[in-house]
Amino acid sequence: MIRTAICDDEANTRAYLSSLIQAQPYPCETIQYASASDCLAGCREFDLLFLDIELDPSGSELDGMALARKIRERDLGTQPAIIFVTGYEQHVFDAFDVNAFQYLLKPVDEEKFVQVFARAAEQIMDSRKNPQMSRTLTLRSANMNKTVPLDSIYYIESNNHKVVLHLKDGEFTYYAKIRDLELELQNQFFRIHKGYLVNLSYVDGYSKTEVTLTNKEKLLLSKYKYQDFVKSYLRFLKKGAGL
């Protein structure tokens, strides 16, 4: 069962999206919200959220982007995939800030909806098979909160008093201690060197001196870390295989 939610202040849009969801070849439970406050007050976890960016044009409520940030800041067991529904294409670039899965332009094209929903459903099913991959890392600083899915991180590099996240779509740098991240992410990441914390999901191979990732990057493997790395990596593979 895929738990879906629709948050849109237009009743006809909610009804249309709901009918499209029910027409998909997946068992779905759907709940509708007419405002950001209703969605936040619902206190329900869902797998997939269709969210209108232009919520409440009067300004007394949060808009869709602000609601998405609130959701990403919550300590949820599983963060939902967010699909923005918008009538304005210029808003699309803001979606990357909250790790949106995709966006749909109004009026929503049924064929496009089917394609996007199928991809989202596949991702949801994959994350259930491998719960570690659905986890997120929340980065906090004085004026910024950013949520990064763990499966988007190839490795983390220590750089003085900062860390650099090497992501599928670029890099992100912020102030943190790699030791703290090592403790927080120890079930999926391993510290192969004083400067590198590697996502075990993206290890493609290794020797006694280096680790090769699936993106073809090669990182130094400390001789003092080699044996523990091999044990951790094999344990990770067995866990993923259900052994």
Side-chain angles (χ1 to χ4, degrees):
M1 180 71 70
I2 298 176
R3 301 165 298 175
T4 63
I6 302 167
C7 188
D8 196 301
D9 52 11
E10 298 177 352
N12 59 336
T13 300
R14 295 197 303 273
Y16 179 57
L17 290 175
S18 180
S19 67
L20 290 179
I21 292 170
Q22 297 307 316
Q24 304 314 303
Y26 307 91
C28 295
E29 174 190 26
T30 306
I31 187 168
Q32 299 182 25
Y33 300 105
S35 68
S37 58
D38 288 347
C39 185
L40 290 173
C43 294
R44 296 183 60 176
E45 289 192 15
F46 32 80
D47 304 305
L48 180 58
L49 172 63
F50 291 90
L51 178 56
D52 179 22
I53 291 183
E54 300 85 33
L55 281 174
D56 190 52
S58 67
S60 60
E61 277 267 2
L62 297 175
D63 64 13
M65 195 62 63
L67 173 58
R69 292 191 181 98
K70 289 283 187 184
I71 291 171
R72 290 300 189 227
E73 291 169 10
R74 282 181 161 185
D75 186 15
L76 299 173
T78 302
Q79 281 283 344
I82 296 177
I83 297 175
F84 279 115
V85 183
T86 176
Y88 303 94
E89 195 165 4
Q90 65 264 30
H91 290 311
V92 168
F93 298 103
D94 297 329
F96 294 110
D97 292 336
V98 290
N99 297 298
F101 178 79
Q102 185 56 280
Y103 70 93
L104 295 168
L105 288 175
K106 293 181 178 180
V108 175
D109 177 76
E110 185 172 349
E111 184 176 342
K112 179 71 172 178
F113 182 94
V114 170
Q115 296 171 357
V116 171
F117 192 95
R119 287 176 45 229
E122 182 179 352
Q123 177 177 287
I124 291 165
M125 299 303 183
D126 287 345
S127 68
R128 288 179 180 174
K129 293 176 184 176
N130 188 358
Q132 289 289 338
M133 296 300 286
S134 66
R135 292 175 54 205
T136 60
L137 175 65
T138 300
L139 316 179
R140 295 184 175 92
S141 66
N143 57 2
M144 179 274 296
N145 283 311
K146 181 180 177 67
T147 301
V148 178
L150 295 190
D151 63 352
S152 70
I153 307 172
Y154 283 115
Y155 67 98
I156 300 172
E157 180 181 6
S158 177
N159 186 356
N160 294 323
H161 299 295
K162 299 178 182 179
V163 294
V164 181
L165 305 186
H166 292 265
L167 308 169
K168 289 182 176 180
D169 58 356
E171 296 180 357
F172 184 81
T173 302
Y174 75 113
Y175 287 97
K177 295 179 180 179
I178 197 169
R179 172 59 179 164
D180 293 338
L181 291 173
E182 179 184 7
L183 293 173
E184 181 180 352
L185 305 176
Q186 59 186 322
N187 293 326
Q188 187 174 336
F189 286 69
F190 188 86
R191 185 117 172 243
I192 62 170
H193 185 275
K194 65 180 181 180
Y196 299 121
L197 189 59
V198 168
N199 189 337
L200 295 173
S201 299
Y202 296 123
V203 172
D204 191 46
Y206 61 88
S207 67
K208 288 193 174 183
T209 58
E210 64 183 17
V211 172
T212 304
L213 303 181
T214 55
N215 66 350
K216 306 307 178 185
E217 285 194 68
K218 297 180 184 293
L219 304 175
L220 287 175
L221 172 57
S222 168
K223 65 180 180 180
Y224 303 108
K225 297 281 189 176
Y226 175 76
Q227 289 187 344
D228 287 337
F229 163 73
V230 173
K231 291 177 183 177
S232 294
Y233 182 53
L234 292 178
R235 191 183 309 120
F236 179 81
L237 292 178
K238 288 181 179 178
K239 186 175 181 180
L243 300 177

